[in-house]
Amino acid sequence: MASAVAASGGARVCMKSGQGQATFVLATKSPRKLMAKPSCCMKIDGGFAGGARSAVQGRRSVASPLAAAAVPEKQSGFEPSPWSDFFTGYEPEPLQKSEEWMLVRANELKEHVCMMFKSCNNMATQICLLDTLQHLGIDYHFKEQIDTILSQILESEFFSSSSLSEVALGFRLLREHGHWVSPAHLHVHGEPTLEEAITFARRHLRSMRGSDLKTPLANQVKRALHIPLPRACKRIETLHYISEYKEEEGYNPVLLELAKLDFNLLQHVHLKELKAITEWWNNFSRNIGLSYIRCRVVESYTWAYVVYYQRGFKLPRRIIAMMIVLITTVDDTYDIHATIDDCRKLHEAIQSNNDDWCRLSRANTPPLSLIRRVQEYLKRLYMELLITFKNIEDEVPANVDYNVSYLRKAFQNHVSGYLQEAEWSHNNHWPKFEDQVNLTSLTVGGPTLSLSVMAGVDRKIMKQSLDWAAGVPDVVIAGGKIVRFMNDIAAFKRRKCKGDAASSVECYIHEHGVTDKVAIARIDELIEEEWKILNKARFENHAILPALQPIIDLARSSSLFYDNRNDVYTTSTHLQETVESLFLKPI
């Protein structure tokens, strides 16, 4: 039974010999109601504009000389964000202990954990410790110890163990860290035995759901069947697991205390960043003056957070969040408001802005003559795009070799994709399914966000990682396809915007003459194929695994934003309880 659980990909398969039961992960956490509810976006000119209240406070940024231009009247069909200015004025309640005391205590607990690594007298205990640290979200504190354990597993005769559960756990951990071994749900093309193992495991786990499984095991089995652990959003997994770990037999109170302290300490860091990014959005939103744009800055930061949650990753979180906002802004402009002529002129300006960029860098204000090609109501948006990239460049520390020109070029290519979609829609063109997927797996944001996450890699491999990601390798395309497919399935029955081109689901139905049920089933199969590409990428270039991992995490984030066929980025009230649990509720 234990080996079947491990093969399912959602199991925590470390168990005592002879017990006959395994412990699963992916618990849910019952959200607590907040006393104070966040305000809604302000209604302006018949539409909604989130937080157009004040300029960035306390930060120097390039100003837009067109901020007073007229705002076109246009109402958006999107629901307002539940957050608006909430985080700019939010002050968390004091914790029971001071932050200084928490930091000291956390360091003491880290020393205890280091001693645990040294005192582990067998490989099975070591991998169970490693697995627990990962689930609790505190493994990043012990990278050296974890690398040592994984090397020892590879060099040992561990895989001759009679405990299938321990072997399966070891396989999964090794593959997650880029070592070539064979557990399920991390399988690649050409591994039919593992596909059989997945089917076998799922069948038996489903048969157990109506049996006498105790809490938390019963709920964990249900969640493991819903989303395999290697594809689950890691930070959400941590939130779930912390709430259940104490109920596990043999839980370690030191690990649980450290996990809670770490989560709460990081929460204070993230709240400060949420305030700053909301203030940036207020300034950006006010300056562009486009009331049809979705206010999704908190949701964008949440997306960045689930890729990089650790302390020390403020820059990549900020860049990722800002780029998602820019992508959303241009996407809404092309889909909702702009005519095809507007789209073409904005695209032309964005593609030729290399000279604008250089002049902006020297003069700090873009000459008005450079934006005459753009429609009047989009001139401020064009200028804010230039200003945002300039400010990102200014925010990169001198000791970080992150070249923003890579990101700017990716964004230009991204907008070219939007124009192609707009041309299809304008001409009522139904592209072939393959052509549609090839384009929209890029316009979903994969290449642009892949270069955004490179801001978080070690400077020793920064240049190599940027060159690699800029080449749009197969892993970036695969991750984009996963997000695109899940997005399209979630959006299929939701009202389309006026400018939306046909989705992958619609193109498949149109091309093959099948029902939506058949089309979605086929696309689900294609999602499985793309996960195999991501899994294989872990072993192809071990040197850039630290750059690959956040790209995989971008794909894993789709389990949060598009779970159960829902698009919680667009319908953001569905994400509200998750945001509350991540940022507003100490553990």
Side-chain angles (χ1 to χ4, degrees):
M1 183 64 242
S3 59
V5 169
S8 75
R12 169 171 159 68
V13 290
C14 179
M15 66 181 190
K16 293 186 177 180
S17 176
Q19 292 279 321
Q21 60 179 343
T23 308
F24 284 63
V25 188
L26 281 175
T28 56
K29 180 177 181 179
S30 299
R32 301 185 296 266
K33 297 295 184 183
L34 292 180
M35 293 299 293
K37 290 293 183 182
S39 60
C40 293
C41 292
M42 297 182 294
K43 193 173 183 181
I44 297 178
D45 294 328
F48 290 93
R53 180 176 62 88
S54 63
V56 175
Q57 300 173 5
R59 291 185 57 251
R60 179 181 179 275
S61 62
V62 180
S64 170
L66 289 179
V71 179
E73 292 190 4
K74 183 69 177 180
Q75 183 169 351
S76 168
F78 298 115
E79 69 173 34
S81 170
W83 299 107
S84 186
D85 278 344
F86 178 80
F87 286 101
T88 61
Y90 176 73
E91 292 294 337
E93 294 183 4
L95 296 171
Q96 293 181 345
K97 302 287 186 178
S98 69
E99 184 171 352
E100 181 180 1
W101 181 92
M102 292 169 67
L103 287 167
V104 171
R105 178 59 178 162
N107 286 331
E108 292 174 353
L109 294 171
K110 290 176 195 176
E111 292 298 322
H112 283 294
V113 176
C114 289
M115 293 304 298
M116 290 180 196
F117 277 104
K118 295 178 180 179
S119 62
C120 286
N121 53 16
N122 62 73
M123 199 71 68
T125 305
Q126 288 180 328
I127 64 168
C128 284
L129 174 59
L130 190 164
D131 188 45
T132 301
L133 293 172
Q134 286 192 176
H135 288 317
L136 291 173
I138 52 178
D139 55 302
Y140 70 98
H141 293 296
F142 309 101
K143 187 179 183 304
E144 182 179 342
Q145 292 88 342
I146 289 172
D147 288 344
T148 299
I149 287 179
L150 293 173
S151 297
Q152 291 173 351
I153 294 174
L154 283 171
E155 296 170 0
S156 71
E157 297 181 357
F158 175 76
F159 296 115
S160 62
S161 170
S162 60
S163 171
L164 292 180
S165 65
E166 294 174 1
V167 171
L169 176 57
F171 272 132
R172 176 173 65 78
L173 293 173
L174 285 169
R175 271 217 171 174
E176 285 179 344
H177 289 268
H179 301 287
W180 178 256
V181 285
S182 300
H185 279 303
L186 286 168
H187 67 305
V188 300
H189 293 100
E191 294 185 310
T193 301
L194 290 183
E195 294 184 14
E196 292 175 10
I198 291 173
T199 302
F200 174 86
R202 282 188 169 274
R203 182 172 68 251
H204 284 275
L205 289 174
R206 287 193 181 106
S207 70
M208 294 175 62
R209 286 188 298 185
S211 62
D212 296 328
L213 292 177
K214 296 181 180 180
T215 303
L217 184 58
N219 290 334
Q220 292 171 343
V221 168
K222 180 180 179 180
R223 287 188 291 272
L225 286 169
H226 179 57
I227 302 176
L229 182 60
R231 302 180 189 180
C233 186
K234 290 193 296 186
R235 200 55 178 167
I236 303 302
E237 157 67 11
T238 293
L239 193 63
H240 295 162
Y241 192 66
I242 288 175
S243 70
E244 292 194 342
Y245 179 52
K246 191 173 183 179
E247 300 179 56
E248 292 195 357
E249 183 180 350
Y251 95 96
N252 190 309
V254 170
L255 300 183
L256 184 58
E257 183 183 358
L258 177 58
K260 290 181 177 180
L261 281 173
D262 193 65
F263 188 93
N264 292 340
L265 285 166
L266 288 175
Q267 200 172 66
H268 275 241
V269 172
H270 301 139
L271 282 171
K272 293 176 183 178
E273 293 176 11
L274 272 165
K275 178 178 180 178
I277 198 70
T278 303
E279 290 173 341
W280 167 80
W281 160 257
N282 288 344
N283 188 50
F284 177 84
S285 175
R286 182 193 61 186
N287 286 344
I288 64 174
L290 302 176
S291 58
Y292 56 81
I293 302 300
R294 280 172 286 179
C295 168
R296 294 295 183 269
V297 65
V298 172
E299 294 79 5
S300 298
Y301 179 84
T302 302
W303 214 318
Y305 162 91
V306 297
V307 176
Y308 286 118
Y309 66 87
Q310 305 93 328
R311 189 183 295 270
F313 288 88
K314 174 183 176 181
L315 177 65
R317 279 193 291 268
R318 184 170 172 85
I319 292 176
I320 295 166
M322 293 169 80
M323 294 311 302
I324 294 175
V325 168
L326 296 191
I327 289 169
T328 301
T329 301
V330 177
D331 184 35
D332 289 350
T333 296
Y334 274 59
D335 282 351
I336 295 172
H337 192 93
T339 66
I340 189 62
D341 189 54
D342 297 344
C343 292
R344 290 166 181 162
K345 289 179 177 178
L346 180 59
H347 171 265
E348 179 186 359
I350 290 173
Q351 298 309 312
S352 62
N353 73 10
N354 288 329
D355 290 338
D356 297 16
W357 179 275
C358 294
R359 296 186 192 188
L360 179 63
S361 297
R362 290 195 298 267
N364 262 1
T365 53
L368 296 181
S369 61
L370 297 175
I371 62 172
R372 287 175 181 165
R373 62 176 69 93
V374 182
Q375 290 293 91
E376 192 67 31
Y377 77 96
L378 292 177
K379 287 180 179 180
R380 288 175 293 165
L381 170 57
Y382 173 65
M383 292 185 64
E384 284 300 314
L385 294 176
L386 293 177
I387 290 168
T388 299
F389 279 101
K390 174 63 170 62
N391 287 338
I392 290 175
E393 188 174 53
D394 290 345
E395 290 178 16
V396 176
N399 62 341
V400 176
D401 300 325
Y402 183 74
N403 189 337
V404 179
S405 66
Y406 285 88
L407 184 60
R408 187 176 72 253
K409 181 60 179 176
F411 185 78
Q412 289 174 313
N413 293 338
H414 193 135
V415 175
S416 293
Y418 280 156
L419 179 61
Q420 181 61 67
E421 290 181 3
E423 297 285 1
W424 282 347
S425 179
H426 176 70
N427 295 315
N428 295 316
H429 173 66
W430 282 87
K432 293 289 188 182
F433 174 75
E434 182 179 359
D435 294 338
Q436 195 277 349
V437 171
N438 287 340
L439 177 65
T440 62
S441 60
L442 302 180
T443 58
V444 79
T448 303
L449 295 182
S450 293
L451 282 161
S452 300
V453 302
M454 292 304 109
V457 304
D458 191 282
R459 62 178 303 175
K460 295 178 181 178
I461 61 169
M462 176 74 76
K463 179 63 165 60
Q464 179 186 5
S465 300
L466 284 169
D467 288 337
W468 171 74
V472 193
D474 288 346
V475 65
V476 171
I477 297 173
K481 286 182 178 179
I482 290 170
V483 177
R484 167 53 62 200
F485 287 146
M486 294 188 70
N487 178 296
D488 283 359
I489 292 171
F492 177 65
K493 294 183 179 180
R494 195 183 71 237
R495 181 182 63 81
K496 283 162 58 68
C497 297
K498 77 169 182 69
D500 277 350
S503 71
S504 58
V505 177
E506 293 166 323
C507 286
Y508 194 91
I509 293 171
H510 184 266
E511 183 174 335
H512 296 280
V514 298
T515 65
D516 57 342
K517 184 177 181 180
V518 171
I520 290 173
R522 174 54 183 153
I523 291 173
D524 280 336
E525 292 174 355
L526 294 176
I527 291 173
E528 293 297 317
E529 295 302 304
E530 301 308 322
W531 272 113
K532 293 177 184 178
I533 293 174
L534 288 180
N535 294 336
K536 184 179 180 182
R538 298 173 188 267
F539 322 115
E540 292 181 332
N541 192 340
H542 198 79
I544 60 169
L545 184 60
L548 170 65
Q549 189 57 55
I551 294 177
I552 294 176
D553 289 338
L554 282 172
R556 293 176 72 166
S557 69
S558 61
S559 67
L560 169 62
F561 286 93
Y562 304 113
D563 188 26
N564 291 319
R565 315 299 202 199
N566 291 320
D567 179 355
V568 302
Y569 181 80
T570 299
T571 312
S572 60
T573 53
H574 293 176
L575 191 65
Q576 183 171 342
E577 287 190 356
T578 299
V579 172
E580 291 171 358
S581 296
L582 292 174
F583 304 123
L584 300 177
K585 299 175 181 177
I587 297 178

